[in-house]
Amino acid sequence: MSDSVYKIIDLVGSSEKSWEDAATSAIERASKSVRDLRIAEVMKLDIKIEKGKPAQFRTNLRVSFKYQD
């Protein structure tokens, strides 16, 4: 088994529906330009509030991907 090296990046996804949709959106978008995404760790969840109601769910993720040889 060979050694591996991973890079970690931070992403923030947003959704009007849920934190899960926000995370999915961030991962799907990142996967269009970053290959071999491996693990996503939820770092923070927050909600943007407008007029006293939740307007947008935001999920902050730490995502790793493997460096290619």
Side-chain angles (χ1 to χ4, degrees), residues 24-67:
T24 299
S25 173
I27 291 167
E28 287 176 351
R29 177 64 182 92
S31 71
K32 292 179 181 179
S33 60
V34 179
R35 290 184 299 150
D36 211 7
L37 295 176
R38 295 296 181 125
I39 302 291
E41 179 182 5
V42 175
M43 303 304 293
K44 180 180 170 185
L45 301 172
D46 60 45
I47 300 173
K48 181 180 178 184
I49 300 169
E50 292 179 359
K51 298 179 183 177
K53 295 183 180 181
Q56 192 172 58
F57 296 87
R58 296 188 308 194
T59 304
N60 295 38
L61 302 167
R62 182 168 288 159
V63 180
S64 67
F65 61 93
K66 187 175 180 180
Y67 274 114

